[in-house]
Amino acid sequence: MEFSPALDLVLGALERMRDSGGRLPRASRDCLAQLRNRSPATPARPAIDKAALLGPIQARVAVCTKCPHLARSRTQTVFGVGNPDAELMFIGEAPGADEDAQGEPFVGRAGQLLTKIITAMGFSRADVYIANVLKCRPDMPRGSFGNRPPTPEEMQTCLPYLAEQIEIIGPKVLVALGATAVEGLLGTRGPMHAMRGRWHSHQETPLMITYHPSYLLRNQAPAEKRKVWEDMLQVLERLDRPISEKQRRFFT
C-alpha cells in the first residue's frame, strides 16, 4: 500500500501549525526533516511459484538417461506429487511396479497405507509432498517379482534431482521412510530400530526417520504400528499442529 500522499498531507499540516505560532500541537524542524527522509515501506515480496520452478526439473527427469539400464526398463519416471508449498515432505526409496505404471509415488499397497497415516495426522495427500530418492523403478530380472533396492551408484546419480526438489519446496520437516531413504539423505546406513524416532537434520531441515510402510505390511503387530505413529506425533509437534486425545491413543 502507498502511504506517500497521506504523509504529505500530515507534513503540510504540521508545517502550517509550526508557522502559525499558535498553541496547537507543534512539530520541530528536525522532526519534519526526519519524516520527509523516512524510507517508504518495504513492498511485500511476491509469492514464489514453486510449481513453476519444479516444472523444468520434472521435464529433465522425464527424459533422463543417466542410468541407461533404468531408462530402458522403466515405463516412465516418477517425479513427485503433492503441494509445492508443503510444510511436510515424505521421502521413500524408489518407485515400484504400480508407481512405474501410474507415474505417481506411493500408489500401491504401501502407498495406500502411507495415505492412511497422512490422513490420521490431519493432512491429505494434497497437503504434503511425496517423492523418492530414485525417480525410476529399479530394473528386475525378467520373470521376477517384487522390487530391489537402488544401488549406491543409482542413488548418487539421481539424488541431485531430489536435492533440487527439497530446496524449492523448503519443507519445515522431512520424513525419511526406510533405510534407503536415510542412506540417500544422510549418506549413512544403520539399524532402523536405532535411527527411527529421533530427530536428525538434512541441510538444516529437521528430519524424522521412520519405518517404510512396506515394513508395516510385513509386520502387522500393533506395537510396530505404534512406533511409526509415535514418530508421526513428534512430527506434528514439531509443526505445531494440534494433537487430539484420539490421535495420541492410536494403537495403544
Side-chain angles (χ1 to χ4, degrees), residues 18-32:
R18 177 181 54 77
D19 294 338
S20 69
R23 304 293 295 175
L24 295 173
R26 310 277 294 275
S28 69
R29 293 182 185 278
D30 288 343
C31 181
L32 292 174

Side-chain angles (χ1 to χ4, degrees), residues 189-207:
R189 266 195 178 273
M192 281 296 296
H193 67 82
M195 293 188 295
R196 61 145 290 271
R198 295 189 295 109
W199 285 106
H200 303 258
S201 179
H202 173 74
Q203 301 294 328
E204 300 184 358
T205 299
L207 170 67

Side-chain angles (χ1 to χ4, degrees), residues 88 121 173 175 208 231-239:
L88 178 57
M121 294 174 73
V173 172
V175 175
M208 175 57 66
D231 299 341
M232 296 306 99
L233 289 178
Q234 289 195 63
V235 170
L236 290 175
E237 289 173 349
R238 180 59 69 99
L239 292 172

Side-chain angles (χ1 to χ4, degrees), residues 21-159:
R23 304 293 295 175
L24 295 173
R26 310 277 294 275
S28 69
R29 293 182 185 278
D30 288 343
C31 181
L32 292 174
Q34 289 177 20
L35 282 171
R36 286 206 179 280
N37 294 330
R38 184 177 179 181
S39 300
T42 303
R45 294 183 180 180
I48 299 174
D49 188 347
K50 295 180 181 180
L53 295 176
L54 289 170
I57 306 170
Q58 185 170 6
R60 298 201 322 266
V61 168
V63 296
C64 181
T65 57
K66 292 180 180 179
C67 300
H69 59 296
L70 299 185
R72 287 193 300 268
S73 64
R74 73 187 182 212
T75 301
Q76 59 191 316
T77 57
V78 180
F79 183 68
V81 68
N83 181 8
D85 296 304
E87 294 183 334
L88 178 57
M89 184 172 180
F90 291 88
I91 298 173
E93 59 176 51
D98 294 316
E99 291 75 18
D100 177 67
Q102 298 185 39
E104 183 175 326
F106 284 93
V107 293
R109 291 182 63 224
Q112 293 166 17
L113 180 53
L114 177 60
T115 299
K116 290 181 180 178
I117 293 171
I118 291 170
T119 302
M121 294 174 73
F123 295 100
S124 70
R125 279 178 70 101
D127 295 326
V128 303
Y129 198 89
I130 307 172
N132 283 311
V133 171
L134 219 63
K135 309 306 184 192
C136 296
R137 184 191 182 197
D139 56 339
M140 297 290 290
R142 188 179 299 276
S144 61
F145 298 95
N147 302 294
R148 70 165 177 83
T151 66
E153 293 77 16
E154 291 167 345
M155 285 195 290
Q156 288 304 311
T157 300
C158 208
L159 274 170

